[in-house]
Amino acid sequence: MFENQEQTEISKFYESLPKPTLIAIQELLEDQIYMREKIKSEDIKLDEGLSEIADDVSDEGLEDIKEDDIKNHKIAYLEGYLWDNENAKKAMKKMVDICKADDQKIAFTLSDLFCVDRHRDSFQELINNDVDILFANEDEIKSMAQTSSFEEGLEYAKSLNITAAITKGSSGSVVVSNGSVTEITAQKVDKVVDTTGAGDLFAAGFLYGYSKNKSMEECGNYASIAAAEIISHYGGRPLVKLSSLI
């Protein structure tokens, strides 16, 4: 009896939610189911849930990072968020070593302003030694340069002598490469609905162009197109095939 009553109350609660919220919840559940199945299919032990995967990586767990799975690609993409966990950091460093030996490019996103504040020195060491392509927003690049001036942040990006793609919200983005700066215009959207996934989609569009040996301007435009699609609706998954937009 109480179980049926509880189920009824839950149903009423969901029925009261706005449709966009329901769509977002559904997408999150689908993503979780997808990741669980993917992890199981790759023989990764799932003990307490997805949130504990990084914590379960130990020196012995590094064996799960298999060289054959990583080799023969063009670009490896690393997230600054993982730098908070020492074991995940070890895993990333092992992956970097494999990728560099395989002549792959290393792309790295600073991920978050607070990540930069916590790990500025170790981020700088990673960038200096291993990173070929850096992603940041204007606040993150200013924090790395320890300045309040975007121009000084841009000069810092130039000094790295790598490719850096820096987003500026509705003002577009800039790409720094070989000492030159390319301005990228933001793609117009009728309404910004949800910025979830904007940074990842920006990076995806840029790296797609980079892997196809496109110019920095084309890479930036692909990035802008992908980011514009994801912010035009709720959820972190594109509603259309991105290749149809370019």
Side-chain angles (χ1 to χ4, degrees):
M1 174 180 176
F2 291 107
E3 183 177 349
N4 290 336
Q5 183 178 355
E6 183 178 348
Q7 290 174 346
T8 301
E9 291 299 322
I10 292 173
S11 297
K12 287 181 179 178
F13 169 74
Y14 278 108
E15 289 172 0
S16 69
L17 294 174
K19 186 175 180 181
T21 302
L22 287 172
I23 293 173
I25 291 173
Q26 182 180 1
E27 289 187 347
L28 286 172
L29 291 173
E30 289 175 352
D31 287 345
Q32 187 180 51
I33 293 170
Y34 169 78
M35 287 305 298
R36 285 180 182 273
E37 293 302 317
K38 182 175 176 63
I39 286 168
K40 288 178 182 178
S41 70
E42 294 176 358
D43 296 322
I44 298 175
K45 187 177 180 180
L46 189 61
D47 292 328
E48 298 294 332
L50 290 173
S51 62
E52 296 188 6
I53 290 174
D55 293 332
D56 289 339
V57 178
S58 63
D59 286 342
E60 292 183 0
L62 294 181
E63 296 173 0
D64 290 332
I65 301 174
K66 297 179 176 62
E67 187 172 340
D68 289 343
D69 293 337
I70 298 172
K71 291 172 63 176
N72 301 317
H73 295 87
K74 292 183 178 181
I75 305 169
Y77 179 65
L78 306 179
E79 287 271 5
Y81 284 120
L82 294 177
W83 218 246
D84 281 323
N85 182 281
E86 285 299 319
N87 291 326
K89 189 187 297 185
K90 292 178 185 178
M92 289 173 67
K93 288 182 176 178
K94 178 178 179 180
M95 182 173 175
V96 166
D97 290 342
I98 295 171
C99 292
K100 299 300 279 189
D102 194 43
D103 199 29
Q104 296 182 37
K105 298 295 185 183
I106 302 296
F108 179 65
T109 175
L110 295 176
S111 292
D112 181 85
L113 178 60
F114 296 109
C115 285
V116 176
D117 290 339
R118 289 193 299 271
H119 305 295
R120 185 179 293 104
D121 291 342
S122 57
F123 276 4
Q124 188 63 62
E125 182 180 1
L126 176 69
I127 292 167
N128 289 343
N129 294 334
D130 298 306
V131 173
D132 302 292
I133 307 164
L134 179 67
F135 292 99
N137 64 30
E138 54 187 327
D139 290 329
E140 292 158 1
I141 204 69
K142 287 190 293 185
S143 181
M144 281 299 299
Q146 299 187 69
T147 180
S148 59
S149 165
F150 178 72
E151 291 305 317
E152 291 180 5
L154 197 57
E155 288 303 314
Y156 160 78
K158 289 180 184 178
S159 74
L160 298 175
N161 294 316
I162 60 175
T163 296
I166 306 166
T167 58
K168 301 171 63 182
S170 60
S171 298
S173 59
V174 296
V175 180
V176 178
S177 186
N178 296 322
S180 64
V181 177
T182 303
E183 298 275 352
I184 306 296
T185 302
Q187 293 290 312
K188 293 182 179 180
V189 294
D190 293 333
K191 181 181 179 182
V192 176
V193 177
D194 179 11
T195 59
T196 302
D200 288 333
L201 267 292
F202 180 91
F206 187 92
L207 294 177
Y208 172 79
Y210 193 96
S211 70
K212 300 296 183 182
N213 300 315
K214 300 297 183 180
S215 68
M216 291 297 101
E217 182 177 10
E218 288 176 293
C219 291
N221 285 332
Y222 288 170
S224 183
I225 290 169
E229 194 285 331
I230 207 68
I231 66 175
S232 66
H233 58 80
Y234 285 100
R237 289 186 176 184
L239 296 183
V240 300
K241 192 172 182 180
L242 293 176
S243 60
S244 68
L245 302 177
I246 59 177

